[in-house]
């Protein structure tokens, strides 16, 4: 499923992790450690939950990290977290739409 998701959206990689950051499945470039990526992204969402609550926008559903060479988009859905890694030229709107739909499908596999 991750390979199809990656191909349909033009991503460089993707991963599914549980809420603690443990990798369930990953299709990442060879130089990316899925355990480390999952753990750090999970932690970023946990840290972001407090300011989201304080500002009245909770529950926090997604986080976008943008760097000079690309983006990491993370979407929390139920018991799973979907992480998508894209290049700088991949349209963000498309990635956000696709990750939301795919995260809902994946979360149904882990009720």
């Amino acid at each position: 499923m991750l390979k199809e998701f990656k191909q349909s959206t033009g991503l460089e990689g993707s991963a599914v992790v549980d809420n603690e950051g443990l990798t369930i499945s990953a299709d990442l470039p060879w130089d990316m450690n899925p355990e480390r990526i999952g753990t750090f992204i999970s932690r970023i969402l946990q840290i972001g939950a407090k300011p989201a609550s304080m500002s009245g926008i909770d529950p926090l559903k997604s986080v976008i990290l943008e760097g000079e060479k690309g983006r990491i988009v993370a979407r929390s859905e139920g018991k799973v977290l979907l992480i998508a890694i894209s290049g700088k030229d991949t349209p963000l709107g498309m990635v956000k739409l696709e990750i939301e739909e795919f995260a809902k499908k994946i979360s149904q596999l882990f009720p």
Side-chain angles (χ1 to χ4, degrees):
M1 287 180 80
L2 285 179
K3 286 187 190 277
E4 291 172 23
F5 175 61
K6 180 179 160 183
Q7 290 172 346
S8 70
T9 55
L11 296 174
E12 294 179 8
S14 61
V16 177
V17 300
D18 68 13
N19 288 329
E20 298 298 318
L22 298 174
T23 303
I24 296 168
S25 181
D27 182 19
L28 297 172
W30 68 270
D31 59 343
M32 291 185 191
N33 181 323
E35 296 296 330
R36 292 180 60 83
I37 296 280
T39 299
F40 286 126
I41 297 299
S42 174
R43 186 69 182 127
I44 288 169
L45 277 166
Q46 290 169 1
I47 291 168
K50 183 67 173 175
S53 176
M54 292 169 58
S55 60
I57 64 167
D58 60 332
L60 183 62
K61 296 299 280 178
S62 64
V63 171
I64 300 169
L65 301 173
E66 190 164 359
E68 192 171 299
K69 296 179 183 178
R71 296 181 196 94
I72 298 174
V73 180
R75 174 80 183 183
S76 177
E77 195 70 46
K79 296 180 180 179
V80 296
L81 173 63
L82 181 59
I83 301 167
I85 300 170
S86 69
K88 66 179 182 175
D89 296 327
T90 306
L92 180 59
M94 181 187 71
V95 173
K96 287 179 63 177
L97 179 65
E98 293 290 332
I99 198 171
E100 184 176 330
E101 291 176 12
F102 192 69
K104 287 178 182 175
K105 289 179 188 175
I106 293 290
S107 72
Q108 292 174 356
L109 301 174
F110 301 93

